[in-house]
Amino acid sequence: MQKTSHRDIFLLACCQALLLVNNAGLISMNALIGYALTDDKTYASLGATTYVLGSALATMPASLWMGRVGRRRGFMTGSAIGILGSSLAAAAVGLGSFPLFCLATAIIGVYTAFGLQYRFAAAEVAELSFKAKAISLVLAGGIVGGFLGPESTRWGKDLFATPFLGSFLVLAAVAVIAFLVQSQVHVPPPSHEERSGGGRPLGQILRQPVFIVAALAGGMGYGLMNLLMVATPLAMSFCSYPYSAAAMVIEWHVVGMYAPGFFTGSLIKRHGTLKVILAGVALMAGCVFVALNGNSIPHFVVALALLGVGWNFMYIGGTTLLTGWTRGCDVAGVEADEKAVEAMAAYVTGYLRRKRLKHSAGTSPVRREGRSLGRRFDAEVTLDGRTLTLGVFTGDTRQSAALW
């Protein structure tokens, strides 16, 4: 039986914090840089879409690579790619090249694809009764990154004559630190069956009810978060708020994403995974309601904080379902399939965001994003003998979410 390694859980939480420095930092300035570099302002957030695409395309290779060489080497591979991506982004900003910038964010997305496996590694170094708590604690490490990411980019923004060039050099340095921390992580090596690619066929995995619920929770949470979060800095710029205000809103959003990690595991243990996922769906709906009803800084803060907490409940709930159900030989395939669903959802919402973005101030992009969600998404599965419909409906004046 696997004994809980608190040392490795702590190191993984540090890795999560360093990953979020890069992620939160990139998100806080991505659309602003795109808006400055491209002539067609409808493509201002394309860098966020290529970031998601990079993560999506790397999901399967990253998971399978870790299944062969182990978590530590896999994580270090990701950080090396992150250093390359951040350095290339700095060069793109210096040269004023929008295509190069989009390529750089795609490479940074590859780094994220590796880093998103920290939660699974946390489950692998914890005993069965501590898995949900271990996942929560590792994700909670993102709180530190949530504050340091936007602040580090704000600090590096004016280091050079070209705005934000220094910010990406700071993020490259953070990836170097992550590489060093990852070299000290010890996760049980993959079994021979995992290394040889054994496990259930892809089609069989995709038909499992538990996988469907977990993938829907992760995909819907990740997609809705991507839709609103990336638009926020640009929306606040249109509303004449300074970059420091946008950075502050993103900080509180990331706190909302990861602060609940200290107790989400306990909530799951006490109330059950499905109820926690349902609570996350309701919080997502509350976020859209707030975003549709004002452009003040408190509106931005509250909406993005609710968005973060809703994502946390859905993400940790989905991950707990997966790790409690997955066989050892299926780990790589299940992780890759679940992350592919999340990445696809984020890509679709990125496309919707770009279609809605206009080259004008006027109505807040965040409010326009909320209106674009005026439909219901649902799916029926059978789990433990119960038929469940997981759905989200959002409209201009009211939002509702249900799991029946």
Side-chain angles (χ1 to χ4, degrees):
M1 177 181 290
Q2 172 65 45
K3 293 184 178 180
T4 299
S5 172
H6 295 283
R7 170 189 176 276
D8 288 307
I9 290 174
F10 172 75
L11 289 176
L12 288 168
C14 291
C15 292
Q16 177 73 19
L18 293 167
L19 176 69
L20 262 292
V21 171
N22 284 71
N23 289 3
L26 176 63
I27 288 166
S28 65
M29 59 183 174
N30 195 321
L32 296 174
I33 295 173
Y35 195 83
L37 292 182
T38 182
D39 294 328
D40 187 346
K41 303 307 179 184
T42 60
Y43 288 91
S45 65
L46 182 60
T49 302
T50 54
Y51 168 71
V52 172
L53 268 178
S55 179
L57 293 175
T59 296
M60 182 70 78
S63 192
L64 295 178
W65 175 247
M66 288 190 187
R68 290 183 176 274
V69 305
R71 296 294 189 187
R72 179 166 59 181
R73 288 185 181 180
F75 291 146
M76 294 172 70
T77 300
S79 288
I81 294 172
I83 296 168
L84 172 63
S86 295
S87 301
L88 191 61
V93 171
L95 295 171
S97 173
F98 185 62
L100 186 60
F101 174 70
C102 291
L103 173 62
T105 61
I107 294 174
I108 296 173
V110 176
Y111 169 39
T112 301
F114 280 90
L116 289 175
Q117 306 289 330
Y118 292 140
R119 55 184 174 138
F120 292 109
E124 291 168 11
V125 297
E127 57 192 57
L128 183 61
S129 62
F130 199 74
K131 282 184 184 292
K133 189 69 173 179
I135 295 167
S136 296
L137 290 175
V138 167
L139 289 180
I143 298 173
V144 177
F147 279 107
L148 292 183
E151 288 300 317
S152 64
T153 57
R154 186 168 68 88
W155 176 78
K157 175 176 175 287
D158 299 316
L159 283 179
F160 299 93
T162 303
F164 294 113
L165 190 155
S167 299
F168 281 107
L169 293 180
V170 171
L171 295 187
V174 171
V176 171
I177 297 173
F179 183 92
L180 297 175
V181 175
Q182 290 160 356
S183 68
Q184 302 303 309
V185 173
H186 297 286
V187 180
S191 65
H192 173 73
E193 193 173 8
E194 290 177 74
R195 289 195 301 269
S196 61
R200 285 174 286 184
L202 173 63
Q204 184 179 346
I205 292 174
L206 294 177
R207 290 193 299 270
Q208 299 301 311
V210 175
F211 175 83
I212 294 172
V213 173
L216 279 174
M220 292 169 61
Y222 201 80
L224 292 173
M225 181 180 69
N226 178 67
L227 185 67
L228 295 178
M229 173 183 64
V230 175
T232 294
L234 193 57
M236 296 186 70
S237 175
F238 285 169
C239 294
S240 301
Y241 294 121
Y243 177 69
S244 58
M248 181 269 292
V249 170
I250 294 297
E251 288 171 9
W252 284 107
H253 166 63
V254 178
V255 168
M257 289 172 65
Y258 296 107
F262 289 111
F263 56 82
T264 306
S266 299
L267 288 177
I268 289 173
K269 190 173 182 179
R270 181 173 181 178
H271 300 289
T273 306
L274 294 178
K275 289 184 179 179
V276 171
I277 292 175
L278 169 60
V281 174
L283 288 167
M284 287 281 189
C287 157
V288 176
F289 178 81
V290 174
L292 287 171
N293 284 280
N295 292 333
S296 68
I297 290 181
H299 278 91
F300 281 110
V301 171
V302 173
L304 269 292
L306 288 174
L307 182 68
V309 178
W311 173 86
N312 179 280
F313 284 5
M314 296 175 75
Y315 196 70
I316 293 181
T319 302
T320 302
L321 278 179
L322 279 184
T323 57
W325 162 76
T326 306
R327 302 174 188 171
C329 57
D330 291 330
V331 169
V334 169
E335 291 173 8
D337 295 342
E338 192 261 354
K339 290 310 303 174
V341 172
E342 292 178 11
M344 185 180 298
Y347 176 76
V348 170
T349 53
Y351 173 78
L352 292 174
R353 180 179 58 251
R354 183 170 64 81
K355 293 291 285 184
R356 300 288 294 180
L357 185 60
K358 306 296 182 183
H359 182 23
S360 62
T363 305
S364 161
V366 171
R367 298 182 72 182
R368 290 200 297 270
E369 302 305 342
R371 293 193 186 100
S372 72
L373 295 176
R375 64 184 65 188
R376 181 183 175 90
F377 301 90
D378 54 36
E380 281 193 2
V381 297
T382 301
L383 183 65
D384 295 334
R386 292 178 294 168
T387 298
L388 308 171
T389 300
L390 181 62
V392 176
F393 174 83
T394 60
D396 285 347
T397 58
R398 70 182 180 87
Q399 296 75 33
S400 62
L403 178 59
W404 294 295

